[in-house]
Amino acid sequence: MKLESVVVFCGSKNGQNPVYVKHTAELGKLIALLNLRMVYGGGKAGLMGVIADSVLANGGKVMGVIPKILTEWESQHTGLTELFVVPDMHTRKKMMYEMGDAAIVLPGGFGTLDELFEMLTWNQLKIHDKKIYILNSDGFYNHLRLHLQHLKKEGFLYELPEERIIFCDTPVEVFNKIG
């Protein structure tokens, strides 16, 4: 499948480690240079703003999808190529999944994990079959990786996590594995 669009899930905060911002900006530049459209949550705060600004600054296209309730809380980004304001979180996630050919997960909080796990669940249920790339900046997702191995060991998974999730340590590695 030819990759034309990637969905990026990430935090509306920057986190404590400066490498999160660094990797996010590098990833945004790569997305633009590879002429991919980026679909994300539409906010301007935190890593969401960093990735959108980086893609745009490098000549890329960014589509944001934000629920009406979050237009004030997440401070919607006003400089995007396209911005869709949708009624609720479920509509946001569904639209984002449909618009992307693959997903890239960056550091983030509950919302990022919710998006990751819903996408994994939809994969398991064969609602879609998109690959999920986790940018494990400075080991941010090491604990998650261990927990996925624990789920496998305890017999709670229908397929091996490695069939759907690809962990990468750098933005360049993400695109080396996608290509």
Side-chain angles (χ1 to χ4, degrees):
M1 175 174 89
K2 183 176 178 339
L3 194 67
E4 296 178 6
S5 184
V6 292
V7 178
V8 175
F9 301 119
C10 59
S12 60
K13 296 180 81 172
N14 286 339
Q16 299 296 321
N17 188 333
V19 78
Y20 306 150
V21 171
K22 179 180 182 281
H23 275 183
T24 300
E26 289 173 13
L27 182 71
K29 183 176 182 179
L30 286 170
I31 290 170
L33 293 175
L34 293 169
N35 201 30
L36 297 171
R37 178 182 61 169
M38 184 186 79
V39 179
Y40 86 119
K44 71 176 181 180
L47 298 182
M48 291 175 76
V50 172
I51 190 88
D53 289 343
S54 179
V55 172
L56 293 167
N58 288 283
K61 294 182 175 103
V62 179
M63 184 182 111
V65 183
I66 191 166
K68 177 125 180 70
I69 195 168
L70 295 182
T71 55
E72 293 175 19
W73 186 7
E74 286 186 359
S75 302
Q76 71 190 41
H77 199 296
T78 56
L80 304 178
T81 311
E82 298 176 87
L83 178 68
F84 295 91
V85 179
V86 296
D88 54 47
M89 292 295 287
H90 183 72
T91 305
R92 175 198 218 181
K93 291 185 286 186
K94 185 175 186 300
M95 185 175 189
M96 289 170 69
Y97 299 158
E98 290 170 352
M99 299 303 292
D101 300 320
I104 303 171
V105 181
L106 307 177
F110 292 144
T112 304
L113 291 174
D114 171 59
E115 291 159 338
L116 166 63
F117 281 109
E118 184 160 337
M119 195 158 188
L120 283 171
T121 302
W122 287 13
N123 269 349
Q124 179 177 285
L125 296 173
K126 308 297 185 217
I127 294 171
H128 68 72
D129 64 349
K130 298 171 184 177
K131 292 284 186 188
I132 301 168
Y133 299 85
I134 295 181
L135 181 52
N136 191 26
S137 299
D138 205 19
F140 183 82
Y141 284 109
N142 285 349
H143 290 95
L144 174 64
R145 186 181 232 166
L146 290 172
H147 191 70
L148 292 172
Q149 291 169 357
H150 181 70
L151 292 173
K152 181 173 81 174
K153 182 183 123 210
E154 292 297 323
F156 284 103
L157 301 181
Y158 288 94
E159 61 188 13
L160 300 175
E162 299 82 20
E163 292 179 26
R164 296 287 177 186
I165 305 170
I166 297 101
F167 284 87
C168 303
D169 294 324
T170 67
V172 170
E173 185 182 355
V174 170
F175 285 100
N176 285 340
K177 290 192 176 180
I178 284 177

